Amino acid sequence: MAGNTFGNLFKLTTFGESHGVAIGGVLDGCPPGIALDIDAIQQELDRRKPGQSAIVTQRKEPDTVEFFSGIFEGRTTGTPIGFAIRNTNQKSRDYSHIKDSYRPSHADYVYDRKYGARDYRGGGRSSARETASRVVAGAIAKQFLSDVRINAFVSQVGELKLGKHYTELDLSLTESNPVRCPDPETASKMEAYIKEVRKEGDTIGGIITCVIQNVPIGLGEPVFDKLHAELGKAMLSINAVKGFEYGSGFEGITMKGSEHNDQYNPDGSTKTNHSGGIQGGISNGMDIYFNVAFKPVATVIQPYDTIDKEGNKVTTKGKGRHDPCVVPRAVPIVEAMAALVLADYTLVARTIKL
Amino acid sequence: MAGNTFGNLFKLTTFGESHGVAIGGVLDGCPPGIALDIDAIQQELDRRKPGQSAIVTQRKEPDTVEFFSGIFEGRTTGTPIGFAIRNTNQKSRDYSHIKDSYRPSHADYVYDRKYGARDYRGGGRSSARETASRVVAGAIAKQFLSDVRINAFVSQVGELKLGKHYTELDLSLTESNPVRCPDPETASKMEAYIKEVRKEGDTIGGIITCVIQNVPIGLGEPVFDKLHAELGKAMLSINAVKGFEYGSGFEGITMKGSEHNDQYNPDGSTKTNHSGGIQGGISNGMDIYFNVAFKPVATVIQPYDTIDKEGNKVTTKGKGRHDPCVVPRAVPIVEAMAALVLADYTLVARTIKL
Amino acid sequence: MAGNTFGNLFKLTTFGESHGVAIGGVLDGCPPGIALDIDAIQQELDRRKPGQSAIVTQRKEPDTVEFFSGIFEGRTTGTPIGFAIRNTNQKSRDYSHIKDSYRPSHADYVYDRKYGARDYRGGGRSSARETASRVVAGAIAKQFLSDVRINAFVSQVGELKLGKHYTELDLSLTESNPVRCPDPETASKMEAYIKEVRKEGDTIGGIITCVIQNVPIGLGEPVFDKLHAELGKAMLSINAVKGFEYGSGFEGITMKGSEHNDQYNPDGSTKTNHSGGIQGGISNGMDIYFNVAFKPVATVIQPYDTIDKEGNKVTTKGKGRHDPCVVPRAVPIVEAMAALVLADYTLVARTIKL
Amino acid sequence: MAGNTFGNLFKLTTFGESHGVAIGGVLDGCPPGIALDIDAIQQELDRRKPGQSAIVTQRKEPDTVEFFSGIFEGRTTGTPIGFAIRNTNQKSRDYSHIKDSYRPSHADYVYDRKYGARDYRGGGRSSARETASRVVAGAIAKQFLSDVRINAFVSQVGELKLGKHYTELDLSLTESNPVRCPDPETASKMEAYIKEVRKEGDTIGGIITCVIQNVPIGLGEPVFDKLHAELGKAMLSINAVKGFEYGSGFEGITMKGSEHNDQYNPDGSTKTNHSGGIQGGISNGMDIYFNVAFKPVATVIQPYDTIDKEGNKVTTKGKGRHDPCVVPRAVPIVEAMAALVLADYTLVARTIKL
């Protein structure tokens, strides 16, 4: 129960520290017979990897995945898919500035207190590097869910809001700019702003919106495993996430019930979709959409005060290349986690028929 | 995996439909030797029950819990605690108006599509009545967590916001008014507003803020089972919840990292608490606080158009006594779910030491 | 994880002590739409209940089950089925003889050491009375598995062996005698022997053989969740069970591979069935059969030496009505556990297709 | 739920086919701070590996484990331990003789029927090669359980029985001969017999006895997760296992209760140990001992009739080097699975205290 497994039936277990030998995982429960497009998996990894554009961290990590098992003659076999991504920059470096002190709002302090020790090189297990394993598994989940369309995009960076409903956007434009915002004009503003923040050695947060279309009716389990509850947990498990809302979300609280209720069309679809595609925790066939809030990440390239293990005050400074805004790189992670949830709940739903 | 179990080690399984014989549950994994205060459990149930004040539904449900097992000579024995609450108003009634049509934004339609049938009397399994079982188990969890203080309160109803940080409030005032808002002045406004909404036969949403104090350092598991991810899932599993944020939440995205980072004091506590008491998914000993957004519930006492099973348009109307704003009654539910998460993660944390 | 739940998807959680208010359980994951025959469930309970014949304990327990939820208009709804069986003989009695001392080969001592306390009235949670809840759930599982035939019977009592392969027997005769041995001649000998043992105030063990026919091909999961591994765990979880073997079992070790291998017929069936219907952990469509060994139960009506909580030697004696041979009453329990495993693995197998 | 994970809290997930890129696993939940002896892990692998003696298969597999994560500066960190063992003989070979036909009593047929396809090179996922991953994790479990002694040995091969109780044996002699039987005289006979069987191109089964000493009181969970039930499942999940018995086992059924009951000494230990160290599913501090029955493995080097995918009769013959008796090589696997169960239940037991 140490928390490194996600999913009930389509089940991912990940391992690996940022500066260890390798990260990777085992995807168990993937049905047999899926003709896997390995290039598509690598493409998803490339969307997440550092160094991909001028507005993200300039670290170089090729992030090439090696598959160990579960695939034969190009198809999944139904047996567990083991895989690993070697860490290429695990060389001897100077970690003394982080070994001896706790970086504010990082996991350093709580890991030391919980485990009595930690791999202090980089973020260890708490590094966002771990999410590369999720992207691999999520890419397989997407191929399993071939009819479902999952599109995430950046809808806010700092104070800069996209300000349009997803139905007004051309989501095919998301990949046309480094910010992954499907509105080119807003994307430019966001890009300029992130560059500014980078120059300050600072960081900024944002919102990712995710839209899932063509979902069959009936995914999601009462009572505790409502579809949106599992999506929420999935998103909140991503590093730096502070909030989740779906459908009408936090804004819905100011509406009256008579206005918020989604009236039915004769075919069972609804005229409005404040429900966000989920009623009573179960997908109703309408679009699922939700927002995920990311805080500004903690690694800043500015001097800061902190404490060492003995509680002594020390002044230190982040080193090297930092990520001024992780939100663009987190878009494929949000999609991956959404795909894992949907794949899992697709399998779960199969068990509920006579 | 049908979704009726919550928790890993401190584990609640619930059963029961709103108009069946009884609802109830089994709490497994509760440590032995806890001297249970049964009255305190009943008090929590009374905070949740219908008919407790002028601003909630006037249905009468005594909600008396009967314990079957797991308690001997006033103490828990470590064996599963089985319990049930009889449904007293399960009599023959006229359900024809809901049997033959789907109420907008209820779970009727998706249950029929998923299961092929449902118990159409009231909300069946999707009824919020199910949460009474959570309150029973949560009350036991609170007694297990005797050092931890969990206080939830209403911080927004419709547009009416409390507008103060929890540290500026006297949380002991929460129970002093039927809205469960610890600011008497705001509480009065909220109460008046809810009465107005009730007269319209309409409903309104709101926000519950929950504060958890005196949490030991080290609760929460990387990677997927971060403490806030589990809290988020727990809250999103409550009926009518549409959003969850913790610490700086959605507002935190507009801050810079240099400003958002919580600087350490020499004792490991932090000067600010944008992290909301959780770093890297693990409690750091500071206060945990989060917001939960509730939509306006779907049952309105106004005529509305909908469809029947054949997709024919029908016009119908909610009957009887409705709940204009469930947020006050949801306060003990939020606390119960928070207690279940903390109890579970307390047990999990015990397994992570050599 | 306190061990009171069985199954992955067709999942039973039980509660209750022998002398508490009630025992019972929650069956979660049972598919919707099953037309339940409640009388058939009660009949299974009656097969297990005390007092049913001259060779079992003469305690009177009516064992009437009350269902709380999950059944509507005679059919399962897909929601959890909660149920309880009241304990009718929980009255004030004199338990001082067992409160203060540990009965040899009972669970008294380890419960006290593990939990620090226990419900010392009767066996508490370790009482075989708990298996009544399994029989209820197993009876529902049998109705779900309408095509599968599960027949258990007594094949050995003490030294008295049935000595025939199940294919030579008419299994419809099992219920024709109180021993539940389908060979009338052997049954008579066993019955006489059990009566003799009862007169001595002693107990005797035996073997139950279980045959499962008409099982579809493909149930069972590699690697750890092989079908026979789960059947083995299910059987070993029944009170007093000391061994499990399937197919050729312990005798198979003396055969050569060339002799033990089951040759295929053109239709995929096999000419012999040393495999016991399971190859590589997966059902192959042939009959599944296995043996379960029960020790003589520990409660004897003879004076015996033991120790009290302080380790002082005491001499005591079992009281009242004891069960000289539990094997006949365990037949429905073996069938129930087999049914639970098959129902669960039937649901699991559904998730393994593209 | 695809069955590739073992354990609740000390949890192993394995992956890999016999002729794929690699096999391996992730061990999650291992407590931090264990100073790992990597050589000791490799030694356990060497005890299992092919080619180690004249009486086992002569295939060459170096079975060198590479660790990816979870170990830092020689100690476990509490994060998941990922590892892999490369398959060195995965080269292009001629598998046509097994691709097109089903080997009797192998898993070929059921895999094809269950999954629609399989990796037909060697045994794929059903190969006993998978157990190497268990041995790695089991070796770590042994180091975690530093006070517990786990000793398995061969007690029967075909008709040749060791015929002594474990208390009469010097278990330190187990590794002194290739059969792993601690009685040198019997070992010689078994060795000679296995060589004879090999010459015939045939195989033979046997029994492994396992003794676990110095187990703390209190491991094992009522009701379904009794310690012996989990040990039984663990053993039955090993390839070729057909039976499990503990304590008095199948022989215990012929004893009377008055004789079978273990009388207490003043210190809570028992004068006899028919219970096999477990009462009511919970360890009582006495030695745990059990027997595991292995069938003769299915791969024989003799011509045999079988069917192809279309059901046509074909005559074929096993090729290359076979394993006449897997029991000696299975000794470390039995120990590994026992260690995994005890490590897991040690962590589980921690959660049962106030």
Side-chain angles (χ1 to χ4, degrees), chain A residues 354, chain B residues 17 115-119 121, chain C residues 30-38 41 67 69-81 140 143:
Chain A
L354 184 53
Chain B
E17 282 78 43
Y115 297 104
R118 68 188 154 99
D119 181 343
R121 303 165 301 172
Chain C
C30 182
I34 303 171
L36 277 191
D37 180 342
I38 302 288
I41 298 170
F67 288 101
S69 62
I71 305 167
F72 184 57
E73 300 180 340
R75 289 180 179 272
T76 59
T77 60
T79 62
I81 300 171
I140 297 172
Q143 298 190 32

Side-chain angles (χ1 to χ4, degrees), chain A residues 118-191:
Chain A
R118 69 189 152 100
D119 182 344
Y120 50 75
R121 303 165 301 169
R125 185 65 182 151
S126 69
S127 164
R129 179 151 180 70
E130 174 272 336
T131 56
S133 300
R134 308 187 189 200
V135 170
V136 171
I140 296 172
K142 280 185 177 180
Q143 297 190 33
F144 167 53
L145 299 164
S146 52
D147 291 337
V148 175
R149 291 190 305 279
I150 302 174
N151 287 292
F153 57 87
V154 173
S155 57
Q156 185 167 347
V157 171
E159 303 273 9
L160 290 169
K161 295 184 189 180
L162 175 50
K164 288 178 184 165
H165 195 253
Y166 78 87
T167 50
E168 304 167 70
L169 295 166
D170 177 358
L171 299 184
S172 72
L173 297 179
T174 299
E175 293 298 312
S176 68
N177 61 72
V179 185
R180 295 202 165 89
C181 172
D183 185 63
E185 202 177 342
T186 312
S188 299
K189 288 181 197 160
M190 288 173 171
E191 189 176 349

Side-chain angles (χ1 to χ4, degrees), chain D residues 23-41:
Chain D
I23 62 166
V26 183
L27 178 62
D28 199 11
C30 183
I34 303 171
L36 277 191
D37 180 342
I38 303 287
D39 289 344
I41 298 169

Side-chain angles (χ1 to χ4, degrees), chain D residues 3-193:
Chain D
N4 297 289
T5 296
F6 187 82
N8 299 283
L9 297 173
F10 194 94
K11 193 162 61 172
L12 172 65
T13 302
T14 71
F15 62 82
E17 282 78 41
S18 58
H19 291 69
V21 177
I23 62 166
V26 183
L27 178 62
D28 199 11
C30 183
I34 303 171
L36 277 191
D37 180 342
I38 303 287
D39 289 344
I41 298 169
Q42 188 61 48
Q43 273 167 34
E44 292 292 318
L45 273 175
D46 292 347
R47 290 174 78 201
R48 195 213 73 96
K49 81 173 174 187
Q52 65 181 272
S53 79
I55 59 166
V56 302
T57 178
Q58 297 304 303
R59 283 195 314 276
K60 290 293 175 204
E61 289 164 4
D63 281 0
T64 309
V65 62
E66 181 186 23
F67 288 102
F68 292 139
S69 64
I71 306 168
F72 184 58
E73 299 181 337
R75 288 181 180 273
T76 58
T77 60
T79 63
I81 300 172
F83 62 88
I85 300 168
R86 297 267 161 186
N87 293 325
T88 52
N89 58 358
Q90 54 171 125
K91 299 141 205 162
S92 55
R93 263 212 246 163
D94 182 12
Y95 296 101
S96 55
H97 68 299
I98 50 178
K99 179 179 180 183
D100 296 333
S101 69
Y102 296 122
R103 293 168 297 169
S105 290
H106 276 82
D108 301 349
Y109 174 75
V110 289
Y111 266 67
D112 259 8
R113 290 293 300 264
K114 184 179 179 78
Y115 297 105
R118 69 190 152 99
D119 182 344
Y120 49 74
R121 303 165 302 172
R125 184 66 180 150
S126 69
S127 165
R129 180 153 178 70
E130 175 272 336
T131 57
S133 300
R134 309 187 188 200
V135 170
V136 171
I140 296 171
K142 279 185 177 181
Q143 298 190 32
F144 167 53
L145 299 164
S146 51
D147 291 337
V148 176
R149 291 189 304 279
I150 302 174
N151 287 291
F153 56 88
V154 173
S155 57
Q156 185 168 346
V157 171
E159 303 272 9
L160 291 168
K161 294 184 190 180
L162 174 49
K164 289 178 185 167
H165 195 254
Y166 78 89
T167 51
E168 304 167 69
L169 296 165
D170 177 357
L171 300 184
S172 71
L173 297 178
T174 299
E175 293 297 310
S176 68
N177 61 72
V179 185
R180 293 199 168 90
C181 172
D183 185 64
E185 203 177 342
T186 312
S188 299
K189 289 181 199 159
M190 287 172 170
E191 190 175 347
Y193 180 58

Side-chain angles (χ1 to χ4, degrees), chain A residues 224, chain B residues 4-8 10-12 230 233-234 337 340-341:
Chain A
F224 297 108
Chain B
N4 297 289
T5 297
F6 187 81
N8 300 282
F10 194 96
K11 196 161 59 170
L12 173 65
E230 190 74 354
K233 181 171 179 181
M337 292 308 295
L340 287 174
V341 170

Side-chain angles (χ1 to χ4, degrees), chain C residues 104-105 158-159 193 197 200-205 295-304, chain D residues 248 251-264 270-275 279 289:
Chain C
S105 289
E159 303 272 8
Y193 181 56
V197 170
E200 296 167 9
D202 217 329
T203 61
I204 190 70
K295 70 164 187 175
V297 290
T299 304
V300 294
I301 309 296
Q302 300 177 340
Y304 57 84
Chain D
S248 61
E251 285 192 12
I253 62 183
T254 61
M255 297 169 78
K256 298 269 177 69
S258 55
E259 176 190 9
H260 190 277
N261 284 350
D262 295 317
Q263 305 302 324
Y264 284 106
T270 58
K271 295 181 204 294
T272 50
N273 185 16
H274 299 117
S275 298
Q279 281 168 339
Y289 61 97

Side-chain angles (χ1 to χ4, degrees), chain A residues 29-195:
Chain A
C30 182
I34 303 171
L36 276 191
D37 180 342
I38 303 289
D39 288 345
I41 298 169
Q42 189 60 48
Q43 273 167 34
E44 292 293 319
L45 274 175
D46 291 347
R47 291 174 77 201
R48 195 213 73 95
K49 81 171 175 190
Q52 65 181 273
S53 79
I55 59 166
V56 302
T57 178
Q58 297 304 302
R59 283 195 314 277
K60 291 293 178 206
E61 289 164 5
D63 282 358
T64 308
V65 62
E66 180 186 22
F67 288 102
F68 292 139
S69 64
I71 306 168
F72 184 57
E73 298 181 338
R75 288 180 180 272
T76 58
T77 60
T79 63
I81 300 171
F83 62 89
I85 301 168
R86 298 266 160 186
N87 292 326
T88 52
N89 58 358
Q90 51 171 127
K91 299 140 205 162
S92 57
R93 263 211 246 164
D94 182 12
Y95 296 101
S96 56
H97 68 299
I98 50 178
K99 179 180 179 183
D100 297 331
S101 69
Y102 297 122
R103 294 167 296 168
S105 289
H106 276 81
D108 302 349
Y109 174 74
V110 288
Y111 265 66
D112 259 9
R113 291 293 300 262
K114 184 178 180 80
Y115 297 104
R118 69 189 152 100
D119 182 344
Y120 50 75
R121 303 165 301 169
R125 185 65 182 151
S126 69
S127 164
R129 179 151 180 70
E130 174 272 336
T131 56
S133 300
R134 308 187 189 200
V135 170
V136 171
I140 296 172
K142 280 185 177 180
Q143 297 190 33
F144 167 53
L145 299 164
S146 52
D147 291 337
V148 175
R149 291 190 305 279
I150 302 174
N151 287 292
F153 57 87
V154 173
S155 57
Q156 185 167 347
V157 171
E159 303 273 9
L160 290 169
K161 295 184 189 180
L162 175 50
K164 288 178 184 165
H165 195 253
Y166 78 87
T167 50
E168 304 167 70
L169 295 166
D170 177 358
L171 299 184
S172 72
L173 297 179
T174 299
E175 293 298 312
S176 68
N177 61 72
V179 185
R180 295 202 165 89
C181 172
D183 185 63
E185 202 177 342
T186 312
S188 299
K189 288 181 197 160
M190 288 173 171
E191 189 176 349
Y193 180 58
I194 294 170
K195 284 179 177 168

